[in-house]
Amino acid sequence: MSNIAIKPPSQSGIVNWMKENLFSNKLNTVISIICIYLVVKFLAGVVDWGILNAVFAADASACKAASDGACWGIISEKYRFIIFGTYPADEQWRPLLAMVWFVGLIICSLLRSFWKLWLLPLWIASLIGLGILMWGGVLGLSYVENTQWGGLPLTLMLAVVGTVAAFPLGILLALGRRSELPLIRVWCVAFIELVRGVPLISVLFMASVMFPLFLPEGVTIDKLLRAQIGIILFTSAYLAEVFRGGLQAVPKGQYEAAAAMGLTYWQTMRVVVMPQALRIVIPPTVNSFISMFKDTSLVLIIGLFDLLATAKVAITDPVWRAFYIEVYIFVAAIYFVFCYSMASYANNLETELRKGEQH
């Protein structure tokens, strides 16, 4: 008689999943019931506070009268300032158009079908166009100082331009750190370790306060540009270590095979090594991007008002000061949408590339 056990057919459906994962024994059943009760209790409280008892009209008196509900009226009252900062009210269509164009450009850049050589000049032309749109002074647009920029457009610009510009610089630093030329290797190591050894606040402070002291008399560089350069240098140092990890993960046989085919150093890197290394480092690279997107809130220390800073300023209004929680929830939702979208894209891209490897 055969002792081979016959495995029952796999069961599917949410009921079977709950039996197997939540109520598989008495202890799991008790823990699951307690957790479900707490979750339901929490969600019921959130719905009562955030929807059923909430005030949606921009009326501070009504909000104070309804003390057991949220006051979303502060968002209706302050959303323009939170999103656009002190940009002139009658010109706010310009940062809005810039954001739409910026997000559309990012989405196109993330689609694999758009990964063509013409994407680079498109980015350069778009950045020039966005600069003209935000600054103005030409084509009948009124001039707006960048000291009036703020809110979400500033956050997007610092994060996206910072990470996109840091990407090729990080690759060069990673290659330089692995270079056989001592001078290049030492310089790259010194730069990476020096920048990674200080917090971003220090880099921004140096770029804003210390850097102008070394410029010739009469020469000034815009504060926003200095902050952007500081973010680029800081991000590139971290990305360099991420890329170095990817380069070291590529099997040595790949280098030897490329050498056997007579490829030069740059051909080996461009055709053989970098495609594999970049595929390996997708998760930590996206993690760095998400971290930088949130760290842009530190530019407040040098007098730039990003999305979080404008939200803080908005709740200094004595009439609406009591409803700061709603403002922070609103800002957190914006951050979450962007960060979760980037994380989801990275997961999908990683899954798609793995399918390509399996085939």
Side-chain angles (χ1 to χ4, degrees):
M1 183 177 178
S2 174
N3 294 324
I4 299 175
I6 300 176
K7 188 177 180 180
S10 60
Q11 298 176 328
S12 60
I14 188 170
V15 175
N16 291 324
W17 182 88
M18 292 176 68
K19 286 181 180 178
E20 294 176 359
N21 296 277
L22 301 181
F23 308 108
S24 57
N25 54 49
K26 292 181 180 178
L27 180 60
N28 284 350
T29 301
V30 172
I31 294 175
S32 298
I33 290 174
I34 293 174
C35 291
I36 292 172
Y37 171 77
L38 294 176
V39 170
V40 171
K41 192 75 175 176
F42 174 75
L43 291 178
V46 170
V47 171
D48 285 340
W49 178 81
I51 300 176
L52 300 180
N53 299 323
V55 176
F56 294 91
D59 186 348
S61 301
C63 290
K64 292 176 181 176
S67 58
D68 56 346
C71 175
W72 300 117
I74 186 174
I75 305 302
S76 305
E77 182 71 16
K78 300 289 185 181
Y79 79 94
R80 290 174 70 108
F81 178 79
I82 295 173
I83 293 179
F84 300 113
T86 57
Y87 207 92
D90 55 346
E91 299 288 338
Q92 287 179 353
W93 63 270
R94 288 158 54 181
L96 177 61
L97 181 60
M99 280 195 302
V100 172
W101 177 257
F102 218 33
V103 173
L105 186 61
I106 294 171
I107 293 174
C108 291
S109 303
L110 296 179
L111 298 176
R112 296 184 66 185
S113 57
F114 285 84
W115 291 358
K116 308 292 184 184
L117 194 59
W118 51 262
L119 198 58
L120 177 60
L122 177 62
W123 264 95
I124 296 174
S126 297
L127 290 177
I128 295 173
L130 292 174
I132 294 174
L133 189 61
M134 291 293 290
W135 265 298
V138 295
L139 304 176
L141 299 173
S142 59
Y143 180 71
V144 178
E145 288 275 357
N146 58 21
T147 54
Q148 295 181 276
W149 299 7
L152 186 56
L154 182 64
T155 297
L156 279 176
M157 186 187 69
L158 291 174
V160 176
V161 175
T163 50
V164 170
F167 197 88
L169 185 57
I171 292 177
L172 293 177
L173 287 170
L175 295 176
R177 182 159 190 166
R178 291 167 52 86
S179 173
E180 296 179 354
L181 300 175
L183 187 61
I184 294 178
R185 185 173 63 252
V186 169
W187 191 92
C188 291
V189 170
F191 174 83
I192 292 170
E193 298 302 331
L194 177 64
V195 175
R196 290 176 70 228
V198 296
L200 178 58
I201 289 179
S202 300
V203 176
L204 292 173
F205 186 77
M206 290 286 291
S208 176
V209 179
M210 299 299 294
F211 181 69
L213 300 178
F214 300 99
L215 294 176
E217 187 176 355
V219 177
T220 58
I221 299 178
D222 185 79
K223 181 170 64 175
L224 179 59
L225 179 59
R226 278 180 272 148
Q228 186 71 80
I229 292 174
I231 290 175
I232 291 172
L233 297 178
F234 187 83
T235 308
S236 64
Y238 277 86
L239 287 180
E241 288 301 278
V242 172
F243 296 146
R244 186 169 69 90
L247 291 172
Q248 291 182 173
V250 176
K252 189 178 179 181
Q254 297 291 316
Y255 293 88
E256 295 173 348
M261 294 176 64
L263 298 181
T264 64
Y265 173 81
W266 292 109
Q267 288 175 329
T268 301
M269 289 298 157
R270 182 173 58 85
V271 180
V272 179
V273 177
M274 289 309 299
Q276 299 181 65
L278 294 179
R279 189 180 308 154
I280 294 171
V281 300
I282 287 176
T285 303
V286 175
N287 190 45
S288 297
F289 288 170
I290 291 175
S291 178
M292 177 47 59
F293 182 72
K294 293 183 290 186
D295 285 347
T296 54
S297 59
L298 296 175
V299 297
L300 175 63
I301 195 174
I302 57 173
L304 298 177
F305 290 83
D306 72 311
L307 179 62
L308 184 60
T310 54
K312 289 180 178 178
V313 174
I315 57 179
T316 57
D317 186 344
V319 177
W320 298 97
R321 186 176 299 170
F323 310 106
Y324 61 92
I325 295 177
E326 290 83 345
V327 174
Y328 282 125
I329 292 176
F330 176 68
V331 174
I334 295 175
Y335 275 105
F336 175 78
V337 168
F338 282 97
C339 294
Y340 182 75
S341 300
M342 285 188 282
S344 299
Y345 168 77
N347 291 333
N348 293 333
L349 179 62
E350 195 176 0
T351 303
E352 188 177 346
L353 292 176
R354 283 180 179 173
K355 287 180 181 177
E357 288 180 349
Q358 293 173 356
H359 291 93

